[in-house]
Short mmCIF file of all heavy atoms in Angstrom, two decimals:
data_model
loop_
_atom_site.label_atom_id
_atom_site.label_comp_id
_atom_site.label_asym_id
_atom_site.label_seq_id
_atom_site.Cartn_x
_atom_site.Cartn_y
_atom_site.Cartn_z
N LYS A 164 -38.46 1.42 -27.86
CA LYS A 164 -38.50 1.92 -29.24
C LYS A 164 -38.19 3.40 -29.23
O LYS A 164 -38.84 4.18 -28.51
CB LYS A 164 -39.88 1.66 -29.86
CG LYS A 164 -40.24 0.21 -30.04
CD LYS A 164 -41.55 0.05 -30.79
CE LYS A 164 -42.72 0.58 -29.98
NZ LYS A 164 -44.02 0.35 -30.67
N LYS A 165 -37.22 3.78 -30.03
CA LYS A 165 -36.87 5.19 -30.14
C LYS A 165 -37.85 5.88 -31.08
O LYS A 165 -38.21 5.36 -32.13
CB LYS A 165 -35.44 5.36 -30.68
CG LYS A 165 -34.37 4.76 -29.78
CD LYS A 165 -34.27 5.48 -28.45
CE LYS A 165 -33.13 4.91 -27.62
NZ LYS A 165 -33.01 5.61 -26.32
N ILE A 166 -38.28 7.06 -30.67
CA ILE A 166 -39.24 7.82 -31.48
C ILE A 166 -38.58 9.11 -31.94
O ILE A 166 -37.77 9.71 -31.22
CB ILE A 166 -40.52 8.11 -30.66
CG1 ILE A 166 -41.60 8.68 -31.56
CG2 ILE A 166 -40.23 9.05 -29.50
CD1 ILE A 166 -42.95 8.83 -30.89
N THR A 167 -38.90 9.51 -33.15
CA THR A 167 -38.37 10.76 -33.71
C THR A 167 -39.45 11.83 -33.61
O THR A 167 -40.64 11.57 -33.79
CB THR A 167 -37.95 10.57 -35.17
OG1 THR A 167 -39.07 10.09 -35.93
CG2 THR A 167 -36.81 9.57 -35.27
N ALA A 168 -39.04 13.03 -33.33
CA ALA A 168 -39.97 14.15 -33.18
C ALA A 168 -39.40 15.36 -33.92
O ALA A 168 -38.19 15.48 -34.12
CB ALA A 168 -40.19 14.47 -31.71
N ILE A 169 -40.29 16.26 -34.32
CA ILE A 169 -39.87 17.47 -35.01
C ILE A 169 -39.34 18.47 -33.99
O ILE A 169 -39.63 18.39 -32.78
CB ILE A 169 -41.04 18.09 -35.81
CG1 ILE A 169 -42.16 18.52 -34.86
CG2 ILE A 169 -41.55 17.09 -36.84
CD1 ILE A 169 -43.29 19.23 -35.57
N GLY A 170 -38.56 19.42 -34.48
CA GLY A 170 -38.01 20.42 -33.60
C GLY A 170 -39.09 21.30 -32.99
O GLY A 170 -40.06 21.70 -33.65
N GLY A 171 -38.95 21.61 -31.74
CA GLY A 171 -39.95 22.40 -31.06
C GLY A 171 -39.95 23.86 -31.46
O GLY A 171 -40.97 24.55 -31.29
N GLY A 172 -38.86 24.36 -32.02
CA GLY A 172 -38.80 25.77 -32.42
C GLY A 172 -39.76 26.10 -33.54
O GLY A 172 -40.48 27.11 -33.49
N TRP A 173 -39.80 25.27 -34.59
CA TRP A 173 -40.72 25.51 -35.71
C TRP A 173 -42.17 25.37 -35.26
O TRP A 173 -43.03 26.18 -35.65
CB TRP A 173 -40.43 24.52 -36.84
CG TRP A 173 -39.18 24.84 -37.59
CD1 TRP A 173 -37.99 24.19 -37.51
CD2 TRP A 173 -39.00 25.90 -38.52
NE1 TRP A 173 -37.05 24.77 -38.33
CE2 TRP A 173 -37.65 25.82 -38.98
CE3 TRP A 173 -39.81 26.91 -39.04
CZ2 TRP A 173 -37.12 26.71 -39.91
CZ3 TRP A 173 -39.28 27.79 -39.97
CH2 TRP A 173 -37.96 27.70 -40.39
N ALA A 174 -42.45 24.38 -34.43
CA ALA A 174 -43.81 24.21 -33.95
C ALA A 174 -44.24 25.39 -33.07
O ALA A 174 -45.38 25.87 -33.16
CB ALA A 174 -43.92 22.91 -33.16
N LEU A 175 -43.32 25.89 -32.28
CA LEU A 175 -43.65 27.04 -31.43
C LEU A 175 -43.92 28.28 -32.29
O LEU A 175 -44.83 29.07 -31.98
CB LEU A 175 -42.50 27.30 -30.46
CG LEU A 175 -42.69 28.46 -29.48
CD1 LEU A 175 -43.88 28.20 -28.57
CD2 LEU A 175 -41.41 28.67 -28.66
N VAL A 178 -47.45 27.90 -33.77
CA VAL A 178 -48.50 28.09 -32.77
C VAL A 178 -48.63 29.56 -32.40
O VAL A 178 -49.75 30.10 -32.30
CB VAL A 178 -48.19 27.22 -31.53
CG1 VAL A 178 -49.12 27.59 -30.38
CG2 VAL A 178 -48.34 25.74 -31.86
N VAL A 218 -58.11 24.81 -29.30
CA VAL A 218 -57.26 23.93 -30.11
C VAL A 218 -55.78 24.20 -29.85
O VAL A 218 -54.98 23.28 -29.68
CB VAL A 218 -57.59 24.10 -31.60
CG1 VAL A 218 -56.58 23.36 -32.47
CG2 VAL A 218 -58.99 23.60 -31.90
N LEU A 219 -55.40 25.49 -29.81
CA LEU A 219 -54.00 25.82 -29.58
C LEU A 219 -53.57 25.47 -28.17
O LEU A 219 -52.41 25.05 -27.95
CB LEU A 219 -53.78 27.31 -29.86
CG LEU A 219 -53.96 27.74 -31.31
CD1 LEU A 219 -53.79 29.25 -31.45
CD2 LEU A 219 -52.96 27.02 -32.22
N ALA A 220 -54.46 25.61 -27.19
CA ALA A 220 -54.12 25.22 -25.82
C ALA A 220 -53.89 23.71 -25.73
O ALA A 220 -52.98 23.24 -25.04
CB ALA A 220 -55.23 25.65 -24.87
N PHE A 221 -54.72 22.94 -26.45
CA PHE A 221 -54.52 21.49 -26.47
C PHE A 221 -53.24 21.12 -27.22
O PHE A 221 -52.53 20.19 -26.83
CB PHE A 221 -55.73 20.82 -27.10
CG PHE A 221 -55.60 19.33 -27.21
CD1 PHE A 221 -55.77 18.51 -26.11
CD2 PHE A 221 -55.30 18.74 -28.44
CE1 PHE A 221 -55.64 17.14 -26.20
CE2 PHE A 221 -55.16 17.37 -28.55
CZ PHE A 221 -55.33 16.56 -27.42
N SER A 222 -52.95 21.87 -28.30
CA SER A 222 -51.75 21.56 -29.08
C SER A 222 -50.47 21.83 -28.31
O SER A 222 -49.43 21.21 -28.58
CB SER A 222 -51.74 22.39 -30.37
OG SER A 222 -52.89 22.09 -31.15
N SER A 223 -50.52 22.73 -27.34
CA SER A 223 -49.31 23.03 -26.56
C SER A 223 -48.87 21.85 -25.71
O SER A 223 -47.74 21.85 -25.19
CB SER A 223 -49.56 24.25 -25.67
OG SER A 223 -50.61 23.99 -24.75
N ARG A 224 -49.71 20.82 -25.55
CA ARG A 224 -49.30 19.63 -24.82
C ARG A 224 -48.22 18.85 -25.55
O ARG A 224 -47.54 18.00 -24.95
CB ARG A 224 -50.50 18.70 -24.60
CG ARG A 224 -51.59 19.29 -23.72
CD ARG A 224 -52.76 18.32 -23.57
NE ARG A 224 -52.40 17.12 -22.83
CZ ARG A 224 -52.26 15.93 -23.36
NH1 ARG A 224 -52.42 15.75 -24.67
NH2 ARG A 224 -51.94 14.89 -22.62
N GLY A 225 -48.04 19.13 -26.82
CA GLY A 225 -47.06 18.38 -27.59
C GLY A 225 -45.63 18.84 -27.41
O GLY A 225 -44.70 18.19 -27.89
N PHE A 226 -45.40 19.95 -26.72
CA PHE A 226 -44.04 20.44 -26.52
C PHE A 226 -43.36 19.64 -25.40
O PHE A 226 -43.91 19.46 -24.31
CB PHE A 226 -44.05 21.93 -26.16
CG PHE A 226 -44.47 22.82 -27.29
CD1 PHE A 226 -45.73 23.40 -27.30
CD2 PHE A 226 -43.62 23.07 -28.35
CE1 PHE A 226 -46.13 24.21 -28.34
CE2 PHE A 226 -44.00 23.90 -29.39
CZ PHE A 226 -45.26 24.46 -29.39
N LYS A 227 -42.15 19.16 -25.69
CA LYS A 227 -41.38 18.38 -24.73
C LYS A 227 -39.97 18.96 -24.65
O LYS A 227 -39.30 19.16 -25.67
CB LYS A 227 -41.29 16.91 -25.16
CG LYS A 227 -42.64 16.22 -25.36
CD LYS A 227 -43.44 16.13 -24.08
CE LYS A 227 -44.78 15.45 -24.32
NZ LYS A 227 -45.62 15.43 -23.10
N LEU A 228 -39.53 19.23 -23.45
CA LEU A 228 -38.19 19.74 -23.19
C LEU A 228 -37.43 18.70 -22.38
O LEU A 228 -37.85 18.34 -21.27
CB LEU A 228 -38.24 21.06 -22.43
CG LEU A 228 -36.89 21.70 -22.07
CD1 LEU A 228 -36.11 22.03 -23.34
CD2 LEU A 228 -37.09 22.94 -21.22
N LEU A 229 -36.33 18.20 -22.94
CA LEU A 229 -35.56 17.15 -22.30
C LEU A 229 -34.15 17.64 -21.99
O LEU A 229 -33.47 18.22 -22.85
CB LEU A 229 -35.48 15.91 -23.19
CG LEU A 229 -36.75 15.06 -23.34
CD1 LEU A 229 -36.51 13.91 -24.28
CD2 LEU A 229 -37.19 14.54 -21.98
N ALA A 234 -35.57 11.01 -20.16
CA ALA A 234 -36.36 10.34 -21.20
C ALA A 234 -37.83 10.53 -20.90
O ALA A 234 -38.24 10.64 -19.74
CB ALA A 234 -36.01 8.86 -21.28
N HIS A 235 -38.63 10.58 -21.97
CA HIS A 235 -40.08 10.62 -21.88
C HIS A 235 -40.64 9.35 -22.51
O HIS A 235 -40.25 8.97 -23.63
CB HIS A 235 -40.64 11.83 -22.63
CG HIS A 235 -40.89 13.01 -21.75
ND1 HIS A 235 -41.68 12.95 -20.63
CD2 HIS A 235 -40.47 14.29 -21.84
CE1 HIS A 235 -41.72 14.14 -20.06
NE2 HIS A 235 -40.99 14.98 -20.77
N ILE A 236 -41.52 8.66 -21.82
CA ILE A 236 -42.20 7.48 -22.36
C ILE A 236 -43.57 7.93 -22.87
O ILE A 236 -44.40 8.41 -22.08
CB ILE A 236 -42.33 6.38 -21.30
CG1 ILE A 236 -40.95 5.88 -20.91
CG2 ILE A 236 -43.20 5.24 -21.81
CD1 ILE A 236 -40.97 4.80 -19.87
N LEU A 237 -43.80 7.79 -24.16
CA LEU A 237 -45.01 8.29 -24.79
C LEU A 237 -46.03 7.18 -24.97
O LEU A 237 -45.68 6.07 -25.42
CB LEU A 237 -44.67 8.92 -26.14
CG LEU A 237 -43.64 10.07 -26.09
CD1 LEU A 237 -43.35 10.60 -27.48
CD2 LEU A 237 -44.11 11.19 -25.18
N MET A 238 -47.28 7.47 -24.63
CA MET A 238 -48.38 6.52 -24.73
C MET A 238 -49.48 7.12 -25.60
O MET A 238 -49.68 8.33 -25.64
CB MET A 238 -48.93 6.21 -23.34
CG MET A 238 -47.90 5.76 -22.33
SD MET A 238 -47.27 4.11 -22.67
CE MET A 238 -48.76 3.15 -22.42
N PHE A 239 -50.19 6.24 -26.30
CA PHE A 239 -51.33 6.65 -27.12
C PHE A 239 -52.52 5.79 -26.76
O PHE A 239 -52.64 4.65 -27.21
CB PHE A 239 -51.00 6.53 -28.61
CG PHE A 239 -52.09 7.03 -29.51
CD1 PHE A 239 -52.39 8.38 -29.60
CD2 PHE A 239 -52.84 6.14 -30.27
CE1 PHE A 239 -53.40 8.84 -30.43
CE2 PHE A 239 -53.85 6.58 -31.10
CZ PHE A 239 -54.13 7.95 -31.17
N VAL A 244 -45.94 3.88 -27.43
CA VAL A 244 -45.56 4.37 -28.75
C VAL A 244 -44.06 4.38 -28.93
O VAL A 244 -43.53 3.93 -29.94
CB VAL A 244 -46.14 5.78 -28.97
CG1 VAL A 244 -45.70 6.34 -30.32
CG2 VAL A 244 -47.66 5.75 -28.88
N GLY A 245 -43.35 4.90 -27.95
CA GLY A 245 -41.90 4.98 -28.05
C GLY A 245 -41.33 5.83 -26.93
O GLY A 245 -42.05 6.34 -26.07
N THR A 246 -40.02 5.97 -26.96
CA THR A 246 -39.31 6.73 -25.93
C THR A 246 -38.54 7.86 -26.58
O THR A 246 -37.84 7.67 -27.57
CB THR A 246 -38.35 5.83 -25.16
OG1 THR A 246 -39.09 4.77 -24.53
CG2 THR A 246 -37.60 6.60 -24.09
N LEU A 247 -38.69 9.03 -26.03
CA LEU A 247 -37.96 10.21 -26.47
C LEU A 247 -36.85 10.47 -25.47
O LEU A 247 -37.12 10.80 -24.30
CB LEU A 247 -38.90 11.41 -26.56
CG LEU A 247 -38.38 12.68 -27.24
CD1 LEU A 247 -38.06 12.41 -28.70
CD2 LEU A 247 -39.39 13.80 -27.11
N SER A 248 -35.60 10.26 -25.90
CA SER A 248 -34.49 10.31 -24.94
C SER A 248 -33.38 11.28 -25.33
O SER A 248 -32.49 11.51 -24.52
CB SER A 248 -33.88 8.91 -24.77
OG SER A 248 -33.44 8.40 -26.01
N ARG A 249 -33.41 11.84 -26.52
CA ARG A 249 -32.36 12.77 -26.91
C ARG A 249 -32.64 14.14 -26.30
O ARG A 249 -33.77 14.64 -26.36
CB ARG A 249 -32.27 12.89 -28.43
CG ARG A 249 -31.81 11.62 -29.13
CD ARG A 249 -31.71 11.82 -30.63
NE ARG A 249 -30.77 12.88 -30.94
CZ ARG A 249 -30.55 13.33 -32.19
NH1 ARG A 249 -31.23 12.83 -33.20
NH2 ARG A 249 -29.68 14.28 -32.39
N GLY A 251 -33.12 18.05 -25.81
CA GLY A 251 -33.50 19.11 -26.73
C GLY A 251 -34.95 19.52 -26.53
O GLY A 251 -35.63 19.09 -25.59
N PHE A 252 -35.43 20.37 -27.45
CA PHE A 252 -36.80 20.89 -27.42
C PHE A 252 -37.54 20.31 -28.62
O PHE A 252 -37.14 20.53 -29.77
CB PHE A 252 -36.78 22.41 -27.47
CG PHE A 252 -38.13 23.05 -27.36
CD1 PHE A 252 -39.01 22.70 -26.36
CD2 PHE A 252 -38.52 24.01 -28.28
CE1 PHE A 252 -40.26 23.28 -26.27
CE2 PHE A 252 -39.77 24.61 -28.20
CZ PHE A 252 -40.64 24.24 -27.18
N TYR A 253 -38.62 19.54 -28.36
CA TYR A 253 -39.31 18.79 -29.41
C TYR A 253 -40.81 19.06 -29.36
O TYR A 253 -41.34 19.57 -28.36
CB TYR A 253 -39.05 17.29 -29.27
CG TYR A 253 -37.60 16.90 -29.36
CD1 TYR A 253 -36.86 16.66 -28.20
CD2 TYR A 253 -36.97 16.75 -30.59
CE1 TYR A 253 -35.54 16.30 -28.27
CE2 TYR A 253 -35.64 16.39 -30.66
CZ TYR A 253 -34.93 16.18 -29.51
OH TYR A 253 -33.61 15.82 -29.58
N TYR A 254 -41.43 18.66 -30.47
CA TYR A 254 -42.89 18.69 -30.52
C TYR A 254 -43.38 17.36 -31.06
O TYR A 254 -42.94 16.89 -32.11
CB TYR A 254 -43.38 19.82 -31.43
CG TYR A 254 -44.89 19.97 -31.43
CD1 TYR A 254 -45.52 20.65 -30.40
CD2 TYR A 254 -45.67 19.41 -32.43
CE1 TYR A 254 -46.90 20.78 -30.38
CE2 TYR A 254 -47.05 19.53 -32.41
CZ TYR A 254 -47.66 20.22 -31.38
OH TYR A 254 -49.02 20.34 -31.35
N VAL A 255 -44.28 16.73 -30.30
CA VAL A 255 -44.84 15.44 -30.68
C VAL A 255 -46.35 15.57 -30.81
O VAL A 255 -46.94 16.64 -30.55
CB VAL A 255 -44.47 14.36 -29.64
CG1 VAL A 255 -42.97 14.16 -29.57
CG2 VAL A 255 -45.04 14.70 -28.27
N ASN A 256 -46.96 14.50 -31.21
CA ASN A 256 -48.42 14.47 -31.32
C ASN A 256 -49.04 14.84 -29.98
O ASN A 256 -48.76 14.19 -28.96
CB ASN A 256 -48.86 13.07 -31.76
CG ASN A 256 -50.33 13.02 -32.13
OD1 ASN A 256 -51.13 13.84 -31.69
ND2 ASN A 256 -50.69 12.03 -32.93
N PRO A 257 -49.89 15.85 -29.93
CA PRO A 257 -50.46 16.25 -28.63
C PRO A 257 -51.36 15.18 -28.01
O PRO A 257 -51.66 15.25 -26.82
CB PRO A 257 -51.25 17.51 -28.96
CG PRO A 257 -51.52 17.44 -30.43
CD PRO A 257 -50.34 16.73 -31.02
N PHE A 258 -51.80 14.20 -28.80
CA PHE A 258 -52.60 13.12 -28.25
C PHE A 258 -51.74 12.11 -27.50
O PHE A 258 -52.27 11.25 -26.82
CB PHE A 258 -53.39 12.41 -29.35
CG PHE A 258 -54.54 13.21 -29.88
CD1 PHE A 258 -54.40 13.99 -31.01
CD2 PHE A 258 -55.77 13.20 -29.22
CE1 PHE A 258 -55.47 14.74 -31.49
CE2 PHE A 258 -56.84 13.93 -29.70
CZ PHE A 258 -56.69 14.71 -30.84
N TYR A 259 -50.41 12.21 -27.69
CA TYR A 259 -49.51 11.33 -26.95
C TYR A 259 -49.45 11.78 -25.49
O TYR A 259 -49.19 12.95 -25.20
CB TYR A 259 -48.10 11.34 -27.53
CG TYR A 259 -47.97 10.64 -28.87
CD1 TYR A 259 -46.83 10.79 -29.64
CD2 TYR A 259 -48.99 9.84 -29.36
CE1 TYR A 259 -46.71 10.16 -30.87
CE2 TYR A 259 -48.88 9.21 -30.57
CZ TYR A 259 -47.73 9.37 -31.33
OH TYR A 259 -47.63 8.76 -32.54
N GLY A 260 -49.66 10.85 -24.60
CA GLY A 260 -49.52 11.15 -23.18
C GLY A 260 -48.24 10.53 -22.65
O GLY A 260 -47.67 9.61 -23.24
N THR A 261 -47.78 11.01 -21.53
CA THR A 261 -46.58 10.47 -20.89
C THR A 261 -47.00 9.52 -19.78
O THR A 261 -47.90 9.82 -18.99
CB THR A 261 -45.70 11.59 -20.31
OG1 THR A 261 -46.48 12.38 -19.42
CG2 THR A 261 -45.16 12.47 -21.44
N TYR A 262 -46.34 8.35 -19.74
CA TYR A 262 -46.69 7.35 -18.73
C TYR A 262 -46.37 7.87 -17.33
O TYR A 262 -47.16 7.74 -16.41
CB TYR A 262 -45.92 6.05 -19.01
CG TYR A 262 -46.26 4.93 -18.06
CD1 TYR A 262 -47.40 4.16 -18.25
CD2 TYR A 262 -45.44 4.65 -16.98
CE1 TYR A 262 -47.71 3.14 -17.39
CE2 TYR A 262 -45.75 3.63 -16.11
CZ TYR A 262 -46.88 2.87 -16.32
OH TYR A 262 -47.19 1.86 -15.46
#
Side-chain angles (χ1 to χ4, degrees):
K164 294 186 294 184
K165 298 294 184 180
I166 190 172
T167 57
I169 63 176
W173 286 105
L175 181 62
V178 170
V218 171
L219 294 177
F221 178 77
S222 300
S223 61
R224 296 179 67 252
F226 291 105
K227 303 296 179 184
L228 179 62
L229 287 178
H235 264 306
I236 295 180
L237 302 179
M238 307 289 295
F239 184 70
V244 177
T246 300
L247 191 63
S248 58
R249 294 182 60 185
F252 183 50
Y253 300 99
Y254 185 81
V255 297
N256 190 337
F258 287 95
Y259 289 167
T261 56
Y262 183 81

